[in-house]
Amino acid sequence: MFSKKHRYSSLITPISYAVDLLVINLFANILPINFEYPILFHSYLSLAWIILSFKNNFYEIYRYTKVSYILKLLFNQFVFLFLILYAFIGFFKQPNMSRLALGEYFVSVGLAIFTIKFLNYILLMKYRESVKGNMRNVVVIGKNKKTDQLIDVFNVRREFGYHFMKQFSPNDPAFDIYKTFVYIVENNIDEIYCSVSELKNNQITEFINFADNNLKTLKFIPDNKNIFSKKLTFEYYDYIPILSLRDIPLHNPLNSALKRGFDIVFSLIVVIGILSWLAPIIALIIRLETKGPVYFRQKRNGIDNKEFYCYKFRSMAPNDHADSLMAVKNDMRTTKVGKFIRRTSIDELPQFYNVLFGNMSVVGPRPHMVKHTNEFANKVDKYMLRHFVKPGITGLAQVRGYRGEIETDNDILNRTKFDIFYIENWSLFMDLKIIVQTVMNAISGDKKAY
């Protein structure tokens, strides 16, 4: 019910970065610029390009982005690159560098990246228009001039990649908001577009809650309703203004690539530096105390609510309730060595394999058993928002004291609150801070680690 299909491609931006950097460095070697320190020049230009791209949002191009906006991005990017390029001569005292060759280099790189960027833009448009790839199923809530114009955009501008499915009119006597929800779920609708001028405040709230709990993207055709009290992203589809309710940092391909790169490096350090020698020792101790497998695997829910196997060192005697009952204080199933590795969080270390496999991240909302996910999804409002990102070995909720057994409703409510805050306010600095706090808690001993 909760799975989300047709994921946005997260590879386009990293590939574009790599191609552009390749062009910048390749032309520097081909053309006779006559620089004295090749490594310095390549490093200087590559770093400058990355910083400029980040500051100018150079790679934030969407399916509905206008050509004029892309031209503006190119202009801003290359004006600053021109200044940075010629500043290299003065900064690093390069009197022998050819100014003319540097100018030829600048023009060549500019033409190459201009061509690549527009070729990529056009090919993606053609791909969505002709091959029908990477399509989004959409519904429109409302019947007025603006909604009709938006539907025309969906139907006419096929290169945007939107498949218009159905229009619902709240002013229709037969309109039933819950039947609308059923239609959205049964027809795998990806995005919902609401005209707030036709919705009551309580209906807007119901749409927000439904979208949050079912991993649907909700956007608004604006007017002067109270919806403006929230932080919104303002976009244009052709000439139609659209508001997005929730901006998730990790849906930005650059942020996603940055986090994935950090996950791979950090998990490799742990796997090679710690697990390579600790795992055999833990395995021997576990097998000496009880018979059974060294590792325990359990199905849990990850990004987009997809199930995956989460790995741990086995800390309990083999039993029939391992996949249905979470550990509780003084749990009779826990072995002697199990108590130690759970108290020190050593049992969680095999999840760094999950990070390398791409099922998990080092930091993120903790994944729950499938049974508990289904239970909490029906009981806790906005619980399913946790599945917009990869689950983590540790998370903000855990370092704030909400880890382990869920004893009361407040435990899962507060855990969900912290998880949503993390998702909406992610930064690499926040991840580093959570990791440091997790290590400190493991050393001092967490009272809820049992």
Side-chain angles (χ1 to χ4, degrees), residues 277-291:
W277 59 268
L278 182 62
I281 298 173
I282 297 296
L284 179 62
I285 296 173
I286 290 173
R287 292 301 299 272
L288 285 175
E289 183 176 9
T290 57
K291 293 182 179 180

Side-chain angles (χ1 to χ4, degrees), residues 267-280 346 349 352:
S267 55
L268 281 174
I269 292 172
V270 174
V271 169
I272 297 172
I274 299 177
L275 280 173
S276 59
W277 59 268
L278 182 62
I346 291 175
L349 289 178
F352 283 99

Side-chain angles (χ1 to χ4, degrees), residues 14-81:
I15 291 174
S16 298
Y17 257 102
V19 171
D20 290 349
L21 287 171
L22 179 63
V23 168
I24 289 169
N25 289 283
L26 188 62
F27 275 92
N29 278 329
I30 294 174
L31 297 175
I33 302 174
N34 195 30
F35 44 74
E36 295 180 15
Y37 308 106
I39 295 177
L40 176 63
F41 186 76
H42 288 296
S43 301
Y44 173 82
L45 271 190
S46 298
L47 182 61
W49 182 265
I50 292 171
I51 294 172
L52 280 178
S53 300
F54 183 76
K55 295 296 291 182
N56 293 333
N57 298 320
F58 187 66
Y59 293 99
E60 291 188 16
I61 297 176
Y62 306 98
R63 60 184 65 217
Y64 46 81
T65 298
K66 294 181 179 180
V67 172
S68 59
Y69 180 74
I70 298 177
L71 289 172
K72 178 185 174 183
L73 288 177
L74 284 163
F75 177 79
N76 290 339
Q77 186 81 352
F78 279 93
V79 164
F80 285 104
L81 183 66

Side-chain angles (χ1 to χ4, degrees), residues 14 24 111 136 141-142 144 153 166 186 201 206 216 219 279-280 286 298 333 339 348 354 367 390 407 415 426:
I24 289 169
L111 289 174
R136 298 286 170 267
I141 312 300
N144 54 56
V153 171
K166 192 170 182 179
E186 291 182 348
N201 284 340
E206 288 189 72
K216 305 298 180 183
K219 299 189 177 184
I286 290 173
Q298 185 179 65
R333 298 172 296 169
K339 290 179 180 178
E348 309 280 1
N354 284 112
K390 288 181 183 180
E407 300 175 274
R415 185 178 294 188
W426 174 88

Side-chain angles (χ1 to χ4, degrees), residues 83 101 107 180 255-256 284 306:
L83 298 174
V107 173
T180 304
N255 289 339
S256 178
L284 179 62
K306 293 176 182 176

Side-chain angles (χ1 to χ4, degrees), residues 24-275:
I24 289 169
N25 289 283
L26 188 62
F27 275 92
N29 278 329
I30 294 174
L31 297 175
I33 302 174
N34 195 30
F35 44 74
E36 295 180 15
Y37 308 106
I39 295 177
L40 176 63
F41 186 76
H42 288 296
S43 301
Y44 173 82
L45 271 190
S46 298
L47 182 61
W49 182 265
I50 292 171
I51 294 172
L52 280 178
S53 300
F54 183 76
K55 295 296 291 182
N56 293 333
N57 298 320
F58 187 66
Y59 293 99
E60 291 188 16
I61 297 176
Y62 306 98
R63 60 184 65 217
Y64 46 81
T65 298
K66 294 181 179 180
V67 172
S68 59
Y69 180 74
I70 298 177
L71 289 172
K72 178 185 174 183
L73 288 177
L74 284 163
F75 177 79
N76 290 339
Q77 186 81 352
F78 279 93
V79 164
F80 285 104
L81 183 66
F82 178 83
L83 298 174
I84 289 172
L85 185 62
Y86 276 90
F88 181 82
I89 298 174
F91 283 156
F92 298 101
K93 303 189 185 318
Q94 302 285 305
N96 296 325
M97 286 188 72
S98 169
R99 272 68 170 173
L100 179 60
L102 208 58
E104 291 176 355
Y105 167 78
F106 174 78
V107 173
S108 301
V109 168
L111 289 174
I113 291 179
F114 177 92
T115 303
I116 291 169
K117 199 168 189 70
F118 272 96
L119 188 62
N120 178 56
Y121 178 78
I122 292 168
L123 288 176
L124 284 173
M125 288 288 191
K126 291 296 182 183
Y127 173 69
R128 288 190 287 262
E129 182 179 12
S130 304
V131 184
K132 310 298 182 188
N134 198 22
M135 298 291 286
R136 298 286 170 267
N137 293 330
V138 302
V139 296
V140 175
I141 312 300
K143 175 64 177 172
N144 54 56
K145 185 178 180 180
K146 285 186 177 180
T147 57
D148 290 343
Q149 288 175 335
L150 180 61
I151 292 170
D152 285 341
V153 171
F154 289 148
N155 291 330
V156 175
R157 302 296 297 272
R158 306 300 296 178
E159 70 272 19
F160 284 178
Y162 292 103
H163 179 212
F164 170 67
M165 299 283 287
K166 192 170 182 179
Q167 182 179 30
F168 297 89
S169 175
N171 295 326
D172 187 336
F175 176 77
D176 186 328
I177 194 170
Y178 298 106
K179 288 183 179 179
T180 304
F181 294 160
V182 171
Y183 178 89
I184 291 169
V185 172
E186 291 182 348
N187 290 273
N188 294 321
I189 301 301
D190 298 300
E191 299 184 6
I192 308 163
Y193 292 80
C194 292
S195 173
V196 290
S197 63
E198 295 186 31
L199 292 172
K200 299 175 183 176
N201 284 340
N202 66 310
Q203 290 176 317
I204 292 173
T205 301
E206 288 189 72
F207 269 106
I208 292 171
N209 292 336
F210 169 79
D212 286 346
N213 291 323
N214 291 272
L215 298 183
K216 305 298 180 183
T217 299
L218 181 65
K219 299 189 177 184
F220 294 96
I221 304 170
D223 71 347
N224 58 353
K225 290 274 185 179
N226 291 335
I227 194 70
F228 288 99
S229 63
K230 284 186 170 285
K231 181 183 178 182
L232 304 172
T233 301
F234 200 75
E235 305 161 333
Y236 274 94
Y237 288 16
D238 202 9
Y239 53 86
I240 308 297
I242 297 295
L243 291 174
S244 297
L245 178 63
R246 177 169 282 104
D247 182 28
I248 296 177
L250 284 172
H251 282 183
N252 179 304
L254 178 58
N255 289 339
S256 178
L258 180 65
K259 184 172 176 65
R260 180 61 183 152
F262 174 80
D263 284 341
I264 292 173
V265 172
F266 192 90
S267 55
L268 281 174
I269 292 172
V270 174
V271 169
I272 297 172
I274 299 177
L275 280 173

Side-chain angles (χ1 to χ4, degrees), residues 259 262 266 362-364 394-400 418 421-422 425-442:
K259 184 172 176 65
F262 174 80
F266 192 90
V362 177
V363 181
T394 185
L396 181 62
Q398 281 62 47
V399 298
R400 292 300 180 91
F418 280 115
F421 178 87
Y422 171 81
N425 296 275
W426 174 88
S427 70
L428 188 59
F429 177 77
M430 183 186 291
D431 276 3
L432 293 172
K433 184 177 179 181
I434 290 171
I435 290 170
V436 171
Q437 289 178 314
T438 300
V439 173
M440 292 175 64
N441 288 347

